[in-house]
Amino acid sequence: MTAAASHAPLAGAWSRARQRFFRHAPGDDQSVVLRHSRIYILPSRRGWTMIATIVVMLLTSLNYGLSLGFAVTFALTGLVAAALLHAFRNLAGIEIRPLAASETFAGGRVAFTLSASGGERMREAIEVRAADAAPFVADIPVGAPVTFRLERDAPMRGRLALGRVTLSSTQPTGLWRAWSYVHFPLSGIVYPQPEPGAPPLPRGLHGHDISAPGQGEESDFSGLRDYQSGDPPQRVAWKAVARGAGWYTKEFDGAGGGGPLPLEWAALPRGLDVETRLSRLTAWVLAAEHAARPFALRIPGATLPVGQDRDHRRTALTMLALFSPERAP
Amino acid sequence: MRPAARRGRRRARTSSPPLSATQIRWLGALLVCAQLPQAPHLPLWVAAFGLLLVGLRLALLRRDRARPDAPPARIPSWTLVLFAIAAALAVRASYGYLLGRDPSVAFLYILVGIKFLETRTVRDGSLLVALASFLLVTPFFTSQSPLSALAVLPALLVLGATLDVLARPPGHASERRPPQALARAGALVLQGIPIAALLFVLFPRIGAPLWGVPGETGAQTGLSDTMAPGTISELSLSDAVAFRVDFDAPPPPPVQRYWRGPVLSRFDGQAWSLMPRPGTGNLTPWSAGGVSYEVTLEPHGKPWLFALDLPASLPRPAGDDAPASADAGFAFLARDQQLIARTPVTQVIRYAQRSMLRDAYPQADAEEAREYLRLPLRGNPRTTEFARELRARHAGDRELVGAILAWFRAEAFVYTLTPPLLDRDPVDAFLFDTRRGFCEHYASAFVVMMRAAGIPARVVTGYQGGEVNPRGGYLIVRQSDAHAWAEVIVDGAWQRVDPTGAVAPSRIEIGLSQAVAAGEPVPLFARLDAGWIKNVQLAFDALNHEWRRNVVGFNRDRQRELWRDLSIDRYAGWQIAALAGALALAWAGVTLALAGFAQARRERAQALWGEACLRLERAGLPRMPHEGPIAYAARASRRWPQFAIAFSAIAESYAALHYGPPPARPGEHEALVATLARAVDVLPGAAQLRATAA
């Protein structure tokens, strides 16, 4: 047996223990109920101050043989111990479930939402914190789940995982900090940042050239059709909505609403690096959507046929977001 | 100071969130509650000043709230430093020193007020809570009475509430109302009591102090190691309790209750003092007719222990069965039959003791007698001459003793608490001029006469008599029972002679108040005719005695007694630790259960909804993954129209519970759960549903 093989079970146990205690990997399922095995409690800063005080009181009572000094010291110790149980009780039994993660462009923020319900007890001042997200503190009332929204900075395209979430509370006395880790496989998509000042959209299949998106829209208005989910908001006939006449989407002819656009990786100038290409394609996807033109997208290893709606756009942006540079020719 | 450093420090200070007005008021209440039990034990100016500082801060807070747009009142930190230094100097001036227990307590008492003046952040608040906690122990330096214990309870409660109020996150909308916070703190204190009791009983006590001897016993009253005219009569003005005694049998009559204390053998013409090397004496053998009893001795800062004349055993700590050997025990018997503890008595102690009620014991060796004949070369010439004259007339020692006692009885001696002052040749002046004196005068004069006549003699101080409390049947011995008598060697044995008895027999037979003239300043509780006040006082003393024995007197020896009762080896620390651990775990389980921690099960609404879904699924209508409760209920109603009302009630109440806004009114949530439960109850079982669908 080799040394490596003999170490393997040990390493496995070590990583299992790490996972058990620190939840490094996103091993949690749809919803997690916080139980004793997940709840950790240590004294807070104030708790340590109090414990130190108790030690001083104890030494004083010992030295001067003050029976009543012991009584008061231990009554205070009892209070601190009871506070520990309450800190545990404030966290135990909370059910937390992942709800959703938003999408954003690189440089923006991904919002993750989680819901927590406290069951038949009011939970006080539960703090939810994840990585660099600003912590969220709220009471969880009886029988009503609370939605927590955590926003993380998204500096780079790709997937942004929520990571490990820490629920903690120092209630009811602030002497103990009880906390618990949950790690859901929840991640948001970060699209590439649209290239600022990107060149205009390439020629369409029908030989049109798009000079600038949105130009001449009003003049080439051709009519209304029923609103479909995913239509861009700027195309909605808001006046009709405001009148209460129903939901319609404006349709355009001519230069603005030309034929399908092929957005091709291969057609971009040589010499552009991968990220710039992705940024430019992202800008173009947005421009095409803005101009309400159907488009197709082809990048190494993936192809998206012509289409035009919100899902199409999302698919395209997701393709760009998750593009792996190894596939670049 | 460089501005950068200053800014940095300020930022560090303000990183902790500021206290709200409510939190400051709670802290103020806590400090007042912590200061009040200490205040009676402090000089008046300290007590008032500390409270004043807290009041000042609260007044400033009030001013700030009255004028919200004005800048908040701020007292610069440097003035507070000056304040603290000034307070330290003032305390030093008041006590004469600063580095000691009592001045430190006084300084801390003022310091919390000063700290409170500049308390702004939550972190400052934590520190104040810690300081206030320590103040809870300090009143017990001076008094461990039940009243002192009660006085600390409010502070404990307010402390819990203050912690709770401090813990609310900054800017949190719901600040607790005082009754609510106090109720929560009360629950915490109550839930903590089992742990407190457990620790109180099991936490190992030590027999000796950790550092130094807690020397500052203050102005503790009790017998001293010298006796000058006026020493004991002054003591007799105090009705403080010296010790209490539980007898195994009915207490002996007052005449036999001579509690032996310091034996004074050296005389310098004015005052009597101890012999420097006490040696070791022989115990009187124990035999039938002896008495055994248990003494609960109040601390008096001196090493002597008290026993009835004559001790037949060494004192045993209460609960210790093994007979103490001469070297091992915590006390030893001196050659003059005095019990001396190895360390001064600075806390309440209890010991079991046996005595033979005799007034004579054999002299150890003839050499010893010479020590007890010494008199100063000069002084008291008339007494010396008178004694020699009597010696010439009475050949036998016994006759001589009898003659002097008869002379005391015959002449016009007055027993009084307020004798005239005597400066030169006090024995002469007392015996032949003033003839007014207290027991110390009689004992001293008698011993001087004996020595002048060639009979070895000495003064024994202690207590005589005591009062039996009908509630509890124990004996209370007060400082007012302090007494001095004489011992002389007659026929090779030390013989007790009490000249006071010759002058004022009722002092010995009844007590001080009967022996002195009306109008003398006898302390209140030494009087026998104080009526109902006396009764109340005796009842209170009985309570106090139990308190002294079982709470204040719960020391290392009592603890060992308990461990022995629990069959725990006194040195097996692990057994005690295991016991404590097991009990603490049991406490945690029980407390969590009592605190409504049946939370492992799912929330009731969830469980009911799950039950309803399960029934429909078994009846052949499973819920689609995307289907909400309302849509699912609508689908079920189409299949089983006769139960449509139940379906919609279930779905709507569950949806309201699970997705609706938080309950606006108390009881709303419970009402919805009740509706849901009733509707689920109405819904038939899966089998019946299947049958009705077909």
Side-chain angles (χ1 to χ4, degrees):
Chain A
M1 186 183 277
T2 64
S6 70
H7 282 143
L10 210 79
W14 171 239
S15 82
R16 270 198 307 280
R18 266 164 60 86
Q19 172 64 7
R20 162 94 168 64
F21 290 115
F22 296 107
R23 313 269 167 196
H24 287 296
D28 287 324
D29 231 358
Q30 276 309 299
S31 92
V32 168
V33 178
L34 303 184
R35 302 213 185 285
H36 57 89
S37 56
R38 259 181 207 265
I39 296 176
Y40 307 102
I41 303 182
L42 277 180
S44 65
R45 191 193 175 95
R46 184 180 303 149
W48 284 119
T49 312
M50 213 61 206
I51 289 170
T53 309
I54 286 176
V55 169
V56 172
M57 290 165 77
L58 193 61
L59 288 178
T60 308
S61 305
L62 267 178
N63 196 57
Y64 290 96
L66 301 175
S67 252
L68 289 189
F70 281 113
V72 166
T73 307
F74 293 145
L76 199 58
T77 312
L79 189 149
V80 173
L84 184 150
L85 295 189
H86 282 261
F88 171 74
R89 186 171 167 266
N90 195 31
L91 219 52
I94 290 182
E95 183 175 10
I96 180 158
R97 64 180 84 208
L99 293 183
S102 74
E103 300 110 33
T104 189
F105 294 96
R109 299 168 77 78
V110 176
F112 298 90
T113 46
L114 302 153
S115 91
S117 52
E120 291 171 339
R121 268 205 315 273
M122 154 104 172
R123 312 308 183 125
E124 294 177 344
I126 304 293
E127 184 192 275
V128 182
R129 182 190 284 273
D132 52 351
F136 187 107
V137 184
D139 287 349
I140 306 179
V142 172
V146 166
T147 304
F148 292 98
R149 187 184 160 91
L150 297 167
E151 289 192 350
R152 287 196 62 184
D153 283 333
M156 292 189 339
R157 72 174 178 89
R159 264 182 214 286
L160 180 72
L162 169 59
R164 189 175 72 178
V165 175
T166 310
L167 281 91
S168 66
S169 169
T170 60
Q171 297 294 314
T173 54
L175 296 175
W176 301 93
R177 177 173 179 269
W179 77 95
S180 209
Y181 299 126
V182 286
H183 203 154
F184 295 114
L186 188 64
S187 58
I189 306 284
V190 183
Y191 306 138
Q193 193 172 29
E195 189 184 20
L201 284 171
R203 283 172 177 280
L205 287 180
H206 303 297
H208 296 290
D209 185 61
I210 308 300
S211 44
Q215 197 183 49
E217 281 176 11
E218 299 304 323
S219 57
D220 296 322
F221 175 70
S222 67
L224 292 172
R225 61 169 171 79
D226 279 348
Y227 173 81
Q228 288 173 336
S229 170
D231 284 342
Q234 64 268 34
R235 299 273 157 176
V236 172
W238 291 109
K239 283 178 188 160
V241 175
R243 277 202 307 273
W247 287 71
Y248 296 100
T249 300
K250 292 183 271 189
E251 285 196 303
F252 295 92
D253 270 345
L261 272 173
L263 301 179
E264 307 226 10
W265 174 282
L268 291 174
R270 288 170 192 286
L272 283 184
D273 65 10
V274 172
E275 294 304 322
T276 315
R277 281 164 192 264
L278 292 171
S279 281
R280 182 163 300 173
L281 288 172
T282 303
W284 280 352
V285 166
L286 295 183
E289 191 216 8
H290 195 70
R293 288 186 58 180
F295 62 88
L297 177 64
R298 188 172 302 136
I299 56 175
T303 304
L304 184 67
V306 176
Q308 181 198 18
D309 63 5
R310 178 153 288 205
D311 287 343
H312 183 70
R313 173 201 148 190
R314 177 179 291 167
T315 316
L317 290 175
T318 306
M319 270 169 60
L320 294 170
L322 302 183
F323 178 77
S324 149
E326 289 95 65
R327 286 186 310 194
Chain B
M1 186 180 293
R2 280 172 314 186
R6 194 167 178 166
R7 256 204 315 279
R9 210 182 58 182
R10 184 157 296 163
R11 194 174 311 124
R13 272 183 65 90
T14 49
S15 65
S16 175
L19 289 164
S20 71
T22 314
Q23 289 171 329
I24 292 179
R25 275 199 298 270
W26 271 104
L27 282 170
L30 170 62
L31 290 185
V32 170
C33 287
Q35 282 177 330
L36 278 180
Q38 180 66 49
H41 310 304
L42 291 170
L44 189 63
W45 74 268
V46 176
F49 188 52
L51 284 167
L52 195 75
L53 289 171
V54 176
L56 179 63
R57 175 75 163 109
L58 293 175
L60 286 178
L61 185 73
R62 201 184 176 85
R63 201 209 68 165
D64 286 350
R65 283 167 65 83
R67 294 186 294 165
D69 33 325
R74 265 182 178 271
I75 296 173
S77 297
W78 62 268
T79 56
L80 294 172
V81 172
L82 289 185
F83 235 54
I85 294 173
L89 290 178
V91 166
R92 191 178 182 286
S94 179
Y95 283 85
Y97 58 107
L98 186 61
L99 295 175
R101 193 190 68 193
D102 293 343
S104 303
V105 169
F107 183 59
L108 178 67
Y109 181 92
I110 296 177
L111 196 67
V112 293
I114 294 176
K115 177 71 195 161
F116 186 47
L117 275 179
E118 66 115 35
T119 291
R120 295 186 210 298
T121 63
V122 170
R123 189 176 303 162
D124 292 339
S126 303
L127 185 65
L128 266 187
V129 172
L131 290 176
S133 313
F134 188 74
L135 268 187
L136 298 190
V137 170
T138 55
F140 302 131
F141 285 144
T142 25
S143 162
Q144 297 203 67
S145 69
L147 218 61
S148 307
L150 278 180
V152 163
L153 284 185
L156 198 63
L157 208 61
V158 175
L159 193 140
T162 308
L163 282 173
D164 194 22
V165 171
L166 282 182
R168 298 306 284 171
H172 200 280
S174 63
E175 274 184 328
R176 285 188 210 298
R177 294 188 315 277
Q180 209 181 352
L182 283 175
R184 286 167 57 100
L188 283 177
V189 170
L190 284 180
Q191 286 164 0
I193 278 181
I195 282 290
L198 187 69
L199 285 171
F200 187 81
V201 172
L202 292 185
F203 186 85
R205 306 297 176 87
I206 55 171
L210 292 172
W211 64 86
V213 177
E216 283 172 272
T217 44
Q220 279 170 334
T221 49
L223 291 172
S224 78
D225 48 7
T226 59
M227 184 187 84
T231 314
I232 293 190
S233 49
E234 197 176 301
L235 198 56
S236 288
L237 296 177
S238 159
D239 54 18
V241 172
F243 51 90
R244 298 182 178 85
V245 190
D246 292 89
F247 286 94
D248 289 358
V255 188
Q256 289 188 306
R257 297 203 291 251
Y258 279 86
W259 299 96
R260 195 180 184 90
V263 178
L264 309 175
S265 316
R266 294 190 149 189
F267 185 55
D268 64 359
Q270 287 278 339
W272 289 88
S273 56
L274 284 174
M275 190 139 70
R277 280 181 307 281
T280 317
N282 302 322
L283 286 170
T284 305
W286 171 252
S287 62
V291 288
S292 68
Y293 48 94
E294 193 180 88
V295 178
T296 310
L297 181 60
E298 295 289 317
H300 53 75
K302 297 286 189 329
W304 23 91
L305 307 175
F306 297 93
L308 280 174
D309 247 355
L310 293 153
S313 74
L314 287 177
R316 265 185 303 109
D320 203 346
D321 267 353
S325 70
D327 338 303
F330 78 102
F332 65 97
L333 184 75
R335 201 169 52 183
D336 49 17
Q337 295 289 306
Q338 191 195 340
L339 289 172
I340 298 176
R342 297 190 194 278
T343 54
V345 180
T346 53
Q347 41 178 294
V348 174
I349 57 167
R350 281 203 312 146
Y351 54 88
Q353 180 65 39
R354 288 169 162 189
S355 293
M356 299 305 297
L357 298 175
R358 293 191 189 142
D359 59 2
Y361 73 98
Q363 180 192 358
D365 60 303
E367 285 300 298
E368 136 186 90
R370 248 189 287 154
E371 284 276 331
Y372 300 102
L373 284 170
R374 286 196 187 146
L375 279 176
L377 289 176
R378 265 187 272 281
N380 300 314
R382 280 194 280 171
T383 310
T384 316
E385 195 182 327
F386 179 62
R388 290 192 179 135
E389 203 177 291
L390 284 177
R391 171 84 273 184
R393 271 194 270 148
H394 301 277
D397 290 352
R398 271 188 199 284
E399 289 88 85
L400 182 60
V401 170
I404 292 179
L405 290 180
W407 180 73
F408 272 130
R409 234 175 265 127
E411 298 291 320
F413 282 96
V414 177
Y415 181 70
T416 173
L417 268 168
T418 52
L421 276 177
L422 311 165
D423 43 351
R424 282 216 349 258
D425 294 335
V427 181
D428 276 6
F430 165 66
L431 282 180
F432 303 105
D433 303 335
T434 65
R435 298 201 164 172
R436 299 170 61 82
F438 200 58
C439 54
E440 71 243 51
H441 298 90
Y442 293 97
S444 166
F446 181 80
V447 173
V448 170
M449 279 162 45
M450 282 286 120
R451 288 191 177 181
I455 300 177
R458 63 193 178 194
V459 174
V460 183
T461 58
Y463 298 88
Q464 201 281 324
E467 175 185 15
V468 176
N469 189 344
R471 295 157 206 271
Y474 61 94
L475 188 76
I476 309 170
V477 178
R478 301 176 188 282
Q479 299 299 350
S480 55
D481 295 315
H483 191 52
W485 60 93
E487 268 183 339
V488 295
I489 296 183
V490 182
D491 302 336
W494 282 105
Q495 169 72 46
R496 181 172 71 220
V497 180
D498 190 349
T500 307
V503 178
S506 53
R507 163 66 185 88
I508 312 304
E509 284 151 22
I510 302 171
L512 179 64
S513 64
Q514 290 298 301
V516 296
E520 295 251 349
V522 175
L524 177 68
F525 295 130
R527 294 175 191 272
L528 296 176
D529 52 356
W532 65 270
I533 300 180
K534 182 86 184 169
N535 274 327
V536 171
Q537 197 273 336
L538 284 177
F540 185 69
D541 193 88
L543 178 76
N544 214 345
H545 183 43
E546 287 305 308
W547 179 261
R548 287 314 223 187
R549 270 161 54 102
N550 297 319
V551 182
V552 178
F554 190 87
N555 53 15
R556 186 178 56 161
D557 305 315
R558 271 311 292 281
Q559 195 171 38
R560 286 182 174 178
E561 186 182 357
L562 181 82
W563 292 348
R564 193 198 55 210
D565 291 348
L566 295 174
S567 323
I568 293 176
D569 180 357
R570 75 166 69 150
Y571 300 110
W574 66 268
Q575 284 184 344
I576 292 152
L579 181 69
L583 289 174
L585 276 181
W587 165 79
V590 170
T591 306
L592 281 178
L594 290 181
F597 188 76
Q599 192 55 37
R601 65 197 162 89
R602 264 190 308 171
E603 185 195 341
R604 183 123 192 273
Q606 277 289 351
L608 288 165
W609 170 248
E611 161 73 24
C613 290
L614 188 70
R615 254 185 245 176
L616 289 180
E617 188 180 329
R618 288 196 183 141
L621 192 74
R623 187 165 73 93
M624 301 293 160
H626 61 266
E627 211 169 26
I630 305 287
Y632 188 33
R635 202 153 60 89
S637 300
R638 282 196 293 279
R639 174 87 69 94
W640 294 286
Q642 66 271 42
F643 301 123
I645 294 173
F647 290 140
S648 77
I650 291 171
E652 275 164 22
S653 52
Y654 174 69
L657 281 166
H658 206 245
Y659 306 105
R665 296 183 313 275
E668 195 177 318
H669 174 79
E670 290 71 18
L672 279 170
V673 173
T675 310
L676 179 60
R678 260 200 312 280
V680 172
D681 207 38
V682 165
L683 201 66
Q688 198 189 332
L689 279 175
R690 251 201 318 275
T692 46

